[in-house]
Coordinates of all heavy atoms in Angstrom, one line a residue:
M1 N 124.6 -46.7 237.7 CA 124.2 -48.1 237.5 C 123.5 -48.3 236.2 O 123.6 -49.3 235.6 CB 123.2 -48.5 238.7 CG 122.8 -49.9 238.6 SD 122.7 -50.5 240.2 CE 121.8 -52.0 239.9
A2 N 122.7 -47.3 235.7 CA 122.1 -47.4 234.4 C 123.1 -47.5 233.3 O 122.9 -48.2 232.3 CB 121.1 -46.2 234.2
H3 N 124.2 -46.8 233.5 CA 125.3 -46.9 232.5 C 125.9 -48.3 232.4 O 126.1 -48.8 231.3 CB 126.4 -45.9 232.8 CG 127.5 -45.9 231.9 ND1 127.4 -45.5 230.6 CD2 128.8 -46.3 232.1 CE1 128.6 -45.7 230.0 NE2 129.4 -46.1 230.9
S4 N 126.0 -49.0 233.5 CA 126.5 -50.3 233.5 C 125.6 -51.3 232.8 O 126.1 -52.1 232.1 CB 126.7 -50.7 235.0 OG 127.2 -52.1 235.0
K5 N 124.3 -51.2 233.0 CA 123.3 -52.0 232.3 C 123.4 -51.8 230.9 O 123.4 -52.8 230.1 CB 121.9 -51.8 232.9 CG 121.6 -52.4 234.2 CD 120.2 -52.2 234.6 CE 119.9 -52.9 235.9 NZ 118.5 -52.8 236.2
N6 N 123.4 -50.6 230.4 CA 123.5 -50.3 229.0 C 124.8 -50.9 228.4 O 124.8 -51.4 227.3 CB 123.5 -48.7 228.8 CG 123.2 -48.4 227.4 OD1 122.7 -49.2 226.6 ND2 123.5 -47.1 227.0
A7 N 125.9 -50.8 229.1 CA 127.2 -51.3 228.6 C 127.1 -52.8 228.5 O 127.6 -53.4 227.6 CB 128.3 -50.9 229.4
D8 N 126.4 -53.4 229.5 CA 126.3 -54.9 229.5 C 125.4 -55.3 228.3 O 125.7 -56.4 227.7 CB 125.6 -55.4 230.8 CG 126.6 -55.3 232.0 OD1 127.8 -55.1 231.8 OD2 126.1 -55.3 233.2
I9 N 124.4 -54.6 228.1 CA 123.5 -55.0 227.0 C 124.2 -54.8 225.6 O 124.1 -55.7 224.8 CB 122.2 -54.1 227.0 CG1 121.3 -54.5 228.2 CG2 121.4 -54.2 225.7 CD1 120.1 -53.6 228.4
Q10 N 125.0 -53.8 225.4 CA 125.8 -53.6 224.2 C 126.8 -54.7 224.1 O 127.0 -55.3 223.0 CB 126.5 -52.3 224.2 CG 125.5 -51.1 223.9 CD 126.2 -49.8 223.9 OE1 127.3 -49.6 224.5 NE2 125.6 -48.8 223.3
M11 N 127.4 -55.2 225.2 CA 128.4 -56.2 225.1 C 127.7 -57.5 224.8 O 128.2 -58.3 224.0 CB 129.1 -56.3 226.5 CG 130.3 -57.3 226.5 SD 131.1 -57.2 228.1 CE 132.5 -58.2 227.7
E12 N 126.6 -57.8 225.4 CA 125.9 -59.0 225.1 C 125.4 -59.0 223.6 O 125.5 -60.1 222.9 CB 124.6 -59.2 226.0 CG 125.0 -59.5 227.4 CD 123.7 -59.5 228.3 OE1 122.6 -59.5 227.8 OE2 123.9 -59.6 229.5
N13 N 125.0 -57.9 223.1 CA 124.6 -57.8 221.7 C 125.8 -58.2 220.8 O 125.6 -58.9 219.8 CB 124.1 -56.4 221.4 CG 123.6 -56.3 220.0 OD1 123.1 -57.2 219.4 ND2 123.6 -55.1 219.5
S14 N 126.9 -57.6 221.0 CA 128.1 -58.0 220.2 C 128.5 -59.4 220.3 O 129.0 -60.0 219.3 CB 129.2 -57.0 220.5 OG 129.7 -57.2 221.8
L15 N 128.3 -60.0 221.5 CA 128.7 -61.4 221.7 C 127.7 -62.3 220.9 O 128.1 -63.4 220.5 CB 128.7 -61.8 223.2 CG 129.9 -61.3 224.0 CD1 129.7 -61.6 225.4 CD2 131.2 -61.8 223.4
L16 N 126.5 -61.9 220.8 CA 125.5 -62.7 220.1 C 125.5 -62.5 218.6 O 125.1 -63.3 217.8 CB 124.1 -62.4 220.6 CG 123.9 -62.7 222.1 CD1 122.5 -62.3 222.5 CD2 124.1 -64.2 222.4
K17 N 125.9 -61.3 218.2 CA 125.9 -60.9 216.8 C 126.8 -61.8 215.9 O 126.3 -62.2 214.8 CB 126.3 -59.5 216.7 CG 126.1 -58.9 215.3 CD 126.4 -57.4 215.3 CE 126.2 -56.8 213.9 NZ 126.5 -55.4 213.9
Q18 N 128.0 -62.1 216.3 CA 128.9 -62.9 215.5 C 128.4 -64.3 215.2 O 128.4 -64.6 214.0 CB 130.3 -62.9 216.2 CG 131.4 -63.5 215.4 CD 131.4 -65.0 215.4 OE1 131.0 -65.6 216.4 NE2 131.9 -65.7 214.4
P19 N 127.9 -65.0 216.1 CA 127.4 -66.4 215.8 C 126.2 -66.3 214.9 O 126.0 -67.1 214.0 CB 127.1 -67.0 217.1 CG 127.8 -66.3 218.1 CD 128.0 -64.9 217.6
L20 N 125.3 -65.3 215.1 CA 124.1 -65.2 214.3 C 124.4 -64.8 212.9 O 123.8 -65.3 211.9 CB 123.1 -64.1 214.9 CG 122.5 -64.6 216.2 CD1 121.7 -63.4 216.8 CD2 121.6 -65.7 216.0
E21 N 125.4 -63.9 212.7 CA 125.8 -63.5 211.4 C 126.5 -64.7 210.7 O 126.3 -64.9 209.5 CB 126.8 -62.3 211.4 CG 126.1 -61.1 211.7 CD 127.1 -59.9 211.8 OE1 128.3 -60.1 211.9 OE2 126.6 -58.7 211.9
F22 N 127.3 -65.5 211.4 CA 127.9 -66.7 210.8 C 126.8 -67.7 210.3 O 126.9 -68.2 209.2 CB 128.8 -67.4 211.8 CG 129.3 -68.7 211.3 CD1 130.3 -68.8 210.4 CD2 128.7 -69.9 211.8 CE1 130.7 -70.1 209.9 CE2 129.1 -71.1 211.3 CZ 130.1 -71.2 210.4
L23 N 125.8 -67.9 211.2 CA 124.7 -68.8 210.8 C 124.0 -68.3 209.5 O 123.6 -69.1 208.7 CB 123.8 -69.0 212.0 CG 124.3 -69.8 213.1 CD1 123.3 -69.7 214.3 CD2 124.5 -71.2 212.7
S24 N 123.7 -67.0 209.5 CA 123.1 -66.5 208.3 C 123.9 -66.6 207.1 O 123.4 -67.1 206.0 CB 122.8 -65.0 208.6 OG 122.2 -64.4 207.4
R25 N 125.2 -66.3 207.1 CA 126.1 -66.5 206.0 C 126.2 -67.9 205.6 O 126.2 -68.3 204.4 CB 127.5 -65.9 206.3 CG 127.6 -64.4 206.2 CD 129.1 -64.0 206.2 NE 129.9 -64.7 207.2 CZ 130.0 -64.2 208.5 NH1 129.4 -63.1 208.9 NH2 130.8 -64.9 209.3
S26 N 126.3 -68.8 206.5 CA 126.5 -70.2 206.3 C 125.3 -70.8 205.6 O 125.3 -71.6 204.6 CB 126.8 -71.0 207.6 OG 126.9 -72.3 207.3
G27 N 124.1 -70.4 206.1 CA 122.8 -70.8 205.5 C 122.7 -70.4 204.0 O 122.3 -71.2 203.1
K28 N 123.1 -69.1 203.7 CA 123.0 -68.6 202.4 C 124.0 -69.3 201.5 O 123.7 -69.7 200.3 CB 123.3 -67.1 202.3 CG 122.1 -66.3 202.9 CD 122.5 -64.8 203.0 CE 121.4 -64.0 203.6 NZ 121.8 -62.6 203.8
T29 N 125.2 -69.6 202.0 CA 126.2 -70.3 201.2 C 125.8 -71.7 200.9 O 125.9 -72.2 199.8 CB 127.6 -70.3 202.0 OG1 128.0 -69.0 202.2 CG2 128.6 -71.0 201.2
S30 N 125.2 -72.4 201.9 CA 124.8 -73.8 201.7 C 123.6 -73.8 200.7 O 123.6 -74.7 199.8 CB 124.3 -74.4 203.0 OG 125.4 -74.5 203.9
Q31 N 122.7 -72.8 200.7 CA 121.6 -72.8 199.8 C 122.1 -72.6 198.4 O 121.7 -73.3 197.4 CB 120.6 -71.7 200.2 CG 119.4 -71.6 199.3 CD 118.5 -70.5 199.6 OE1 118.8 -69.7 200.6 NE2 117.4 -70.3 198.9
K32 N 123.1 -71.7 198.2 CA 123.6 -71.4 196.9 C 124.3 -72.7 196.3 O 124.2 -73.0 195.2 CB 124.6 -70.3 196.9 CG 123.9 -68.9 197.0 CD 124.9 -67.8 197.1 CE 124.2 -66.5 197.4 NZ 125.2 -65.4 197.5
L33 N 125.1 -73.4 197.2 CA 125.8 -74.6 196.8 C 124.8 -75.7 196.4 O 125.0 -76.3 195.4 CB 126.6 -75.1 198.0 CG 127.5 -76.3 197.7 CD1 128.5 -76.0 196.6 CD2 128.2 -76.7 199.0
I34 N 123.7 -75.8 197.2 CA 122.7 -76.8 196.8 C 122.1 -76.5 195.5 O 122.0 -77.4 194.6 CB 121.6 -76.9 197.9 CG1 122.2 -77.5 199.2 CG2 120.4 -77.7 197.5 CD1 121.3 -77.3 200.4
E35 N 121.7 -75.3 195.3 CA 121.0 -74.9 194.1 C 122.0 -75.1 192.8 O 121.5 -75.6 191.8 CB 120.6 -73.4 194.1 CG 119.4 -73.2 195.0 CD 119.1 -71.7 195.3 OE1 119.8 -70.8 194.7 OE2 118.1 -71.4 195.9
K36 N 123.2 -74.7 193.0 CA 124.2 -74.9 191.9 C 124.4 -76.4 191.6 O 124.3 -76.7 190.4 CB 125.5 -74.3 192.3 CG 126.6 -74.5 191.3 CD 127.9 -74.0 191.8 CE 129.0 -74.4 190.9 NZ 130.3 -74.5 191.6
E37 N 124.6 -77.2 192.5 CA 124.9 -78.6 192.3 C 123.7 -79.3 191.8 O 123.8 -80.1 190.8 CB 125.4 -79.3 193.6 CG 126.9 -78.9 193.9 CD 127.9 -79.2 192.9 OE1 127.8 -80.3 192.2 OE2 128.8 -78.4 192.7
V38 N 122.5 -79.1 192.4 CA 121.3 -79.8 192.0 C 120.9 -79.4 190.6 O 120.5 -80.2 189.7 CB 120.2 -79.6 193.0 CG1 118.8 -80.1 192.4 CG2 120.5 -80.3 194.3
S39 N 121.1 -78.1 190.3 CA 120.8 -77.6 188.9 C 121.7 -78.3 187.9 O 121.3 -78.7 186.8 CB 121.0 -76.1 188.9 OG 120.8 -75.6 187.6
G40 N 123.0 -78.3 188.2 CA 124.0 -79.0 187.3 C 123.7 -80.4 187.1 O 123.8 -80.9 186.0
V41 N 123.3 -81.2 188.1 CA 123.0 -82.6 188.0 C 121.7 -82.7 187.2 O 121.6 -83.6 186.4 CB 122.8 -83.2 189.4 CG1 122.2 -84.6 189.3 CG2 124.2 -83.3 190.1
S42 N 120.7 -81.9 187.4 CA 119.5 -81.9 186.7 C 119.7 -81.7 185.2 O 119.2 -82.4 184.4 CB 118.5 -80.9 187.2 OG 117.3 -80.9 186.5
V43 N 120.5 -80.7 184.9 CA 120.8 -80.5 183.4 C 121.5 -81.6 182.8 O 121.2 -82.1 181.7 CB 121.7 -79.2 183.3 CG1 122.3 -79.0 181.9 CG2 120.8 -77.9 183.7
A44 N 122.5 -82.2 183.6 CA 123.3 -83.4 183.0 C 122.3 -84.6 182.9 O 122.5 -85.3 181.9 CB 124.4 -83.7 184.0
L45 N 121.4 -84.8 183.8 CA 120.5 -85.9 183.6 C 119.5 -85.7 182.4 O 119.3 -86.6 181.7 CB 119.6 -86.1 184.9 CG 120.3 -86.8 186.1 CD1 119.4 -86.8 187.3 CD2 120.6 -88.2 185.7
S46 N 119.1 -84.5 182.2 CA 118.2 -84.2 181.1 C 119.0 -84.4 179.8 O 118.5 -85.0 178.9 CB 117.8 -82.7 181.1 OG 116.9 -82.5 182.2
A47 N 120.2 -84.0 179.7 CA 121.1 -84.2 178.5 C 121.3 -85.7 178.3 O 121.2 -86.2 177.2 CB 122.4 -83.5 178.7
L48 N 121.5 -86.4 179.4 CA 121.8 -87.9 179.3 C 120.5 -88.6 178.8 O 120.6 -89.5 178.0 CB 122.2 -88.4 180.7 CG 122.7 -89.8 180.7 CD1 123.9 -90.1 179.8 CD2 123.0 -90.2 182.2
C49 N 119.4 -88.2 179.3 CA 118.1 -88.8 178.9 C 117.8 -88.6 177.5 O 117.3 -89.4 176.8 CB 117.0 -88.3 179.8 SG 117.0 -89.0 181.5
S50 N 118.1 -87.4 177.0 CA 117.9 -87.1 175.6 C 118.8 -87.8 174.6 O 118.5 -88.0 173.5 CB 118.0 -85.6 175.3 OG 119.4 -85.2 175.4
Q51 N 119.9 -88.3 175.2 CA 120.8 -89.1 174.3 C 120.7 -90.6 174.4 O 121.3 -91.3 173.7 CB 122.3 -88.7 174.8 CG 122.7 -87.3 174.6 CD 124.0 -87.0 175.2 OE1 124.7 -87.8 175.7 NE2 124.4 -85.7 175.1
L52 N 119.7 -91.0 175.3 CA 119.5 -92.4 175.4 C 119.0 -93.0 174.1 O 118.1 -92.4 173.4 CB 118.5 -92.7 176.5 CG 119.0 -92.5 177.9 CD1 117.9 -92.8 178.9 CD2 120.2 -93.4 178.2
P53 N 119.5 -94.1 173.7 CA 119.0 -94.7 172.4 C 117.6 -95.3 172.6 O 117.1 -95.5 173.7 CB 120.1 -95.8 172.2 CG 120.6 -96.2 173.5 CD 120.5 -94.9 174.3
V54 N 117.0 -95.6 171.5 CA 115.7 -96.3 171.4 C 115.9 -97.7 172.0 O 116.9 -98.3 171.9 CB 115.2 -96.3 170.0 CG1 113.8 -97.0 170.0 CG2 115.1 -95.0 169.4
E55 N 114.9 -98.2 172.7 CA 115.0 -99.5 173.4 C 115.4 -100.6 172.4 O 114.9 -100.6 171.2 CB 113.6 -99.8 174.0 CG 113.7 -101.0 175.0 CD 112.3 -101.1 175.7 OE1 111.7 -100.1 176.0 OE2 112.0 -102.3 175.9
G56 N 116.3 -101.4 172.7 CA 116.8 -102.5 171.9 C 117.9 -102.1 171.0 O 118.5 -102.9 170.3
D57 N 118.3 -100.8 171.0 CA 119.4 -100.3 170.2 C 120.5 -99.8 171.1 O 121.3 -98.9 170.7 CB 118.8 -99.2 169.3 CG 119.9 -98.7 168.3 OD1 120.7 -99.5 167.9 OD2 119.9 -97.5 167.9
A58 N 120.7 -100.4 172.2 CA 121.7 -100.0 173.2 C 123.0 -100.8 173.0 O 123.0 -102.0 173.3 CB 121.2 -100.0 174.6
S59 N 124.1 -100.2 172.6 CA 125.3 -101.0 172.5 C 126.0 -101.0 173.8 O 125.6 -100.2 174.7 CB 126.2 -100.3 171.5 OG 126.6 -99.0 172.0
A60 N 126.9 -101.9 174.0 CA 127.6 -102.1 175.2 C 128.4 -100.8 175.6 O 128.5 -100.3 176.7 CB 128.6 -103.3 175.2
A61 N 129.0 -100.1 174.5 CA 129.7 -98.9 174.8 C 128.8 -97.8 175.2 O 129.2 -97.0 176.1 CB 130.4 -98.5 173.5
N62 N 127.6 -97.7 174.7 CA 126.7 -96.7 175.1 C 126.2 -96.9 176.5 O 126.1 -96.0 177.3 CB 125.5 -96.6 174.1 CG 124.7 -95.4 174.3 OD1 125.2 -94.4 174.7 ND2 123.4 -95.5 174.1
R63 N 125.9 -98.2 176.8 CA 125.5 -98.5 178.2 C 126.6 -98.1 179.2 O 126.3 -97.6 180.3 CB 125.1 -100.0 178.3 CG 123.8 -100.3 177.7 CD 123.3 -101.7 178.2 NE 124.3 -102.7 177.9 CZ 124.3 -103.5 176.8 NH1 123.4 -103.3 175.8 NH2 125.2 -104.4 176.6
Q64 N 127.8 -98.4 178.8 CA 129.0 -98.1 179.7 C 129.1 -96.6 179.9 O 129.4 -96.1 181.0 CB 130.3 -98.7 179.2 CG 131.4 -98.5 180.1 CD 131.2 -99.2 181.5 OE1 130.7 -100.3 181.6 NE2 131.6 -98.5 182.5
R65 N 128.9 -95.8 178.8 CA 129.0 -94.4 178.9 C 127.9 -93.8 179.8 O 128.2 -92.9 180.6 CB 128.8 -93.8 177.5 CG 129.0 -92.3 177.4 CD 128.7 -91.7 176.1 NE 127.3 -91.9 175.6 CZ 126.2 -91.3 176.0 NH1 126.4 -90.3 176.9 NH2 125.1 -91.6 175.5
V66 N 126.7 -94.3 179.7 CA 125.6 -93.9 180.6 C 125.9 -94.2 182.0 O 125.7 -93.4 182.9 CB 124.3 -94.5 180.1 CG1 123.2 -94.3 181.1 CG2 123.8 -94.0 178.7
K67 N 126.4 -95.5 182.2 CA 126.8 -95.9 183.6 C 127.9 -95.0 184.1 O 127.8 -94.6 185.3 CB 127.3 -97.3 183.5 CG 127.6 -97.9 184.8 CD 128.0 -99.4 184.7 CE 128.5 -100.0 186.0 NZ 128.9 -101.3 185.9
D68 N 128.9 -94.7 183.3 CA 130.0 -93.8 183.8 C 129.4 -92.4 184.2 O 129.8 -91.8 185.2 CB 131.1 -93.7 182.8 CG 131.8 -95.0 182.6 OD1 131.7 -95.9 183.5 OD2 132.5 -95.1 181.6
E69 N 128.6 -91.9 183.3 CA 128.0 -90.5 183.6 C 127.2 -90.5 184.8 O 127.3 -89.6 185.6 CB 127.2 -90.1 182.3 CG 126.6 -88.7 182.5 CD 127.6 -87.6 182.5 OE1 128.8 -87.8 182.2 OE2 127.2 -86.5 183.0
L70 N 126.4 -91.6 185.0 CA 125.6 -91.6 186.2 C 126.5 -91.7 187.5 O 126.2 -91.1 188.5 CB 124.6 -92.8 186.2 CG 123.4 -92.7 185.2 CD1 122.6 -94.0 185.1 CD2 122.5 -91.5 185.6
G71 N 127.5 -92.5 187.4 CA 128.5 -92.6 188.5 C 129.1 -91.2 188.8 O 129.3 -90.9 190.0
R72 N 129.4 -90.5 187.7 CA 130.0 -89.1 188.0 C 129.0 -88.2 188.7 O 129.3 -87.5 189.6 CB 130.4 -88.5 186.6 CG 131.2 -87.2 186.7 CD 131.5 -86.6 185.3 NE 130.3 -86.2 184.6 CZ 129.7 -85.0 184.9 NH1 130.1 -84.2 185.9 NH2 128.6 -84.6 184.2
L73 N 127.7 -88.3 188.3 CA 126.7 -87.5 188.9 C 126.5 -87.9 190.3 O 126.3 -87.0 191.2 CB 125.4 -87.6 188.1 CG 125.4 -87.0 186.7 CD1 124.1 -87.3 186.0 CD2 125.8 -85.5 186.7
V74 N 126.5 -89.2 190.6 CA 126.4 -89.7 192.0 C 127.5 -89.1 192.8 O 127.4 -88.7 194.0 CB 126.3 -91.2 192.1 CG1 126.5 -91.7 193.5 CG2 125.0 -91.7 191.5
G75 N 128.7 -89.1 192.2 CA 129.9 -88.5 192.9 C 129.7 -87.1 193.2 O 130.1 -86.6 194.3
R76 N 129.2 -86.3 192.3 CA 128.9 -84.9 192.6 C 127.9 -84.7 193.7 O 128.2 -83.9 194.6 CB 128.3 -84.2 191.4 CG 129.2 -83.8 190.3 CD 128.6 -83.1 189.2 NE 128.1 -81.7 189.5 CZ 127.6 -80.9 188.6 NH1 127.5 -81.2 187.3 NH2 127.2 -79.7 189.0
L77 N 126.9 -85.5 193.8 CA 125.9 -85.4 194.9 C 126.5 -85.9 196.2 O 126.2 -85.3 197.3 CB 124.7 -86.2 194.5 CG 123.8 -85.7 193.4 CD1 122.7 -86.6 193.1 CD2 123.3 -84.3 193.8
Q78 N 127.4 -86.9 196.2 CA 128.1 -87.3 197.4 C 129.0 -86.2 197.9 O 129.2 -86.0 199.1 CB 128.8 -88.6 197.2 CG 127.9 -89.8 197.0 CD 128.6 -91.1 196.6 OE1 129.7 -91.0 196.0 NE2 128.0 -92.2 196.9
G79 N 129.7 -85.5 197.0 CA 130.6 -84.4 197.3 C 129.7 -83.3 198.0 O 130.2 -82.7 199.0
L80 N 128.6 -83.0 197.4 CA 127.7 -82.0 198.0 C 127.3 -82.4 199.4 O 127.3 -81.6 200.3 CB 126.4 -81.9 197.1 CG 125.3 -81.0 197.6 CD1 125.8 -79.5 197.8 CD2 124.1 -81.0 196.7
K81 N 127.0 -83.7 199.6 CA 126.6 -84.2 200.9 C 127.7 -84.0 201.9 O 127.5 -83.5 203.0 CB 126.2 -85.7 200.8 CG 125.8 -86.3 202.2 CD 125.5 -87.7 202.0 CE 125.2 -88.3 203.4 NZ 125.1 -89.8 203.4
R82 N 128.9 -84.3 201.5 CA 130.1 -84.1 202.4 C 130.2 -82.6 202.8 O 130.5 -82.3 203.9 CB 131.4 -84.6 201.8 CG 131.6 -86.1 201.9 CD 133.0 -86.5 201.4 NE 133.3 -86.1 200.1 CZ 133.0 -86.8 199.0 NH1 132.3 -87.9 199.1 NH2 133.3 -86.4 197.8
K83 N 130.1 -81.7 201.8 CA 130.3 -80.3 202.1 C 129.2 -79.8 203.0 O 129.4 -79.0 203.9 CB 130.2 -79.5 200.8 CG 131.4 -79.7 199.9 CD 131.2 -79.0 198.6 CE 132.4 -79.3 197.6 NZ 132.2 -78.6 196.3
L84 N 127.9 -80.3 202.8 CA 126.8 -79.9 203.7 C 127.0 -80.4 205.1 O 126.6 -79.8 206.0 CB 125.5 -80.3 203.1 CG 125.1 -79.5 201.8 CD1 123.9 -80.1 201.2 CD2 125.0 -78.0 202.0
E85 N 127.5 -81.6 205.2 CA 127.7 -82.2 206.5 C 128.8 -81.4 207.3 O 128.7 -81.1 208.5 CB 128.2 -83.7 206.4 CG 127.0 -84.6 206.1 CD 127.5 -86.0 205.8 OE1 128.7 -86.2 205.5 OE2 126.6 -86.9 205.7
A86 N 129.9 -81.0 206.6 CA 130.9 -80.1 207.2 C 130.3 -78.8 207.6 O 130.6 -78.3 208.7 CB 132.1 -79.9 206.2
A87 N 129.5 -78.2 206.8 CA 128.8 -76.9 207.1 C 127.9 -77.1 208.3 O 127.8 -76.2 209.2 CB 128.1 -76.4 205.9
D88 N 127.2 -78.2 208.3 CA 126.3 -78.5 209.4 C 127.0 -78.6 210.8 O 126.6 -78.1 211.8 CB 125.5 -79.8 209.2 CG 124.4 -80.0 210.2 OD1 123.6 -79.1 210.5 OD2 124.3 -81.2 210.7
A89 N 128.2 -79.2 210.7 CA 129.0 -79.3 212.0 C 129.4 -78.0 212.4 O 129.4 -77.7 213.6 CB 130.2 -80.3 211.7
K90 N 129.8 -77.1 211.5 CA 130.2 -75.7 211.9 C 129.1 -74.9 212.4 O 129.2 -74.2 213.4 CB 130.9 -75.0 210.7 CG 132.2 -75.6 210.3 CD 132.8 -74.8 209.1 CE 134.1 -75.5 208.7 NZ 134.6 -74.8 207.4
E91 N 127.9 -75.1 211.8 CA 126.7 -74.4 212.3 C 126.3 -74.9 213.7 O 125.9 -74.1 214.5 CB 125.6 -74.6 211.3 CG 125.8 -73.9 210.0 CD 124.7 -74.2 208.9 OE1 123.8 -75.0 209.2 OE2 124.9 -73.7 207.8
D92 N 126.4 -76.2 213.9 CA 126.1 -76.8 215.3 C 127.0 -76.2 216.3 O 126.6 -75.8 217.4 CB 126.2 -78.3 215.3 CG 125.1 -79.0 214.6 OD1 124.0 -78.3 214.3 OD2 125.2 -80.2 214.2
A93 N 128.3 -76.0 215.9 CA 129.3 -75.4 216.9 C 128.9 -74.0 217.2 O 129.0 -73.5 218.3 CB 130.7 -75.5 216.3
A94 N 128.5 -73.2 216.1 CA 128.1 -71.8 216.3 C 126.8 -71.8 217.2 O 126.7 -70.9 218.1 CB 127.8 -71.2 215.0
V95 N 125.9 -72.7 217.0 CA 124.7 -72.7 217.9 C 125.1 -73.0 219.3 O 124.5 -72.4 220.3 CB 123.7 -73.7 217.3 CG1 122.6 -74.0 218.4 CG2 123.1 -73.2 216.0
C96 N 126.0 -73.9 219.5 CA 126.5 -74.2 220.9 C 127.1 -73.0 221.5 O 126.8 -72.7 222.7 CB 127.4 -75.4 220.9 SG 126.7 -77.0 220.6
R97 N 128.0 -72.3 220.8 CA 128.5 -71.0 221.3 C 127.5 -70.0 221.7 O 127.6 -69.4 222.7 CB 129.5 -70.4 220.3 CG 130.9 -71.2 220.2 CD 131.9 -70.4 219.4 NE 131.5 -70.0 218.1 CZ 131.6 -70.7 217.0 NH1 132.1 -71.9 217.1 NH2 131.2 -70.2 215.9
L98 N 126.5 -69.9 220.8 CA 125.4 -69.0 221.0 C 124.6 -69.3 222.3 O 124.3 -68.5 223.1 CB 124.5 -69.0 219.8 CG 123.4 -67.9 219.7 CD1 124.0 -66.5 219.8 CD2 122.6 -68.0 218.5
E99 N 124.4 -70.6 222.5 CA 123.6 -71.1 223.6 C 124.4 -70.8 224.9 O 123.9 -70.5 225.9 CB 123.3 -72.6 223.5 CG 122.2 -72.9 222.5 CD 122.0 -74.3 222.3 OE1 122.9 -75.2 222.6 OE2 120.9 -74.7 221.7
L100 N 125.8 -71.0 224.8 CA 126.6 -70.8 226.0 C 126.6 -69.3 226.4 O 126.6 -68.9 227.5 CB 128.0 -71.2 225.8 CG 128.2 -72.7 225.7 CD1 129.7 -73.1 225.3 CD2 128.0 -73.3 227.1
R101 N 126.6 -68.4 225.3 CA 126.6 -67.0 225.6 C 125.3 -66.5 226.1 O 125.3 -65.6 227.0 CB 127.0 -66.3 224.3 CG 128.4 -66.4 223.9 CD 128.7 -65.8 222.6 NE 130.1 -66.1 222.2 CZ 130.7 -65.6 221.1 NH1 130.0 -64.9 220.3 NH2 131.9 -65.9 220.9
I102 N 124.2 -67.2 225.7 CA 122.9 -66.7 226.2 C 122.8 -67.2 227.7 O 122.2 -66.5 228.5 CB 121.8 -67.3 225.4 CG1 121.8 -66.6 224.0 CG2 120.4 -67.2 226.0 CD1 120.8 -67.2 223.0
G103 N 123.3 -68.3 228.0 CA 123.3 -68.7 229.4 C 122.6 -69.9 229.8 O 122.2 -70.3 230.8

């Protein structure tokens, strides 16, 4: 009977290990993605700010360029949001599987 309990514990451990490892990997991947995108947007914003003309010296072409660049940066952040929402949905599914396995 002791052998059966030990086998059951090992089986439960392996059933819990996979979702926990997935959650750990997913969290690390999401963190790296966030750091990469936010850093890139921050650098681009700094560069854009350093290129802004002195007040009253803004041409229509320059304003349009700044507007386009800001739109591109917003698009990058929206893409990041979509990726994180997809990762969140997968993580929620893993948590549900884990909860079902725990009982």
Side-chain angles (χ1 to χ4, degrees):
M1 182 144 169
H3 177 67
S4 177
K5 283 186 178 183
N6 194 19
D8 288 344
I9 290 172
Q10 287 179 340
M11 186 173 189
E12 289 175 12
N13 184 29
S14 64
L15 287 174
L16 299 177
K17 188 175 180 180
Q18 187 274 335
L20 290 173
E21 287 178 349
F22 171 78
L23 289 170
S24 177
R25 279 192 317 273
S26 180
K28 289 177 184 177
T29 301
S30 294
Q31 181 180 2
K32 288 178 185 176
L33 182 63
I34 291 168
E35 289 173 357
K36 176 186 167 206
E37 289 297 323
V38 169
S39 175
V41 168
S42 179
V43 167
L45 279 174
S46 293
L48 188 61
C49 287
S50 69
Q51 297 172 4
L52 288 176
V54 180
E55 195 172 319
D57 188 29
S59 67
N62 193 33
R63 283 194 306 267
Q64 186 60 44
R65 184 185 60 77
V66 169
K67 183 178 174 184
D68 292 344
E69 180 66 16
L70 288 174
R72 188 182 69 75
L73 294 176
V74 167
R76 275 183 75 173
L77 291 174
Q78 288 172 337
L80 173 62
K81 180 182 174 189
R82 281 190 301 275
K83 289 175 186 177
L84 291 175
E85 286 171 343
D88 187 48
K90 289 179 184 177
E91 289 170 2
D92 285 346
V95 168
C96 286
R97 283 192 307 272
L98 189 58
E99 287 174 342
L100 287 172
R101 290 176 182 180
I102 289 174

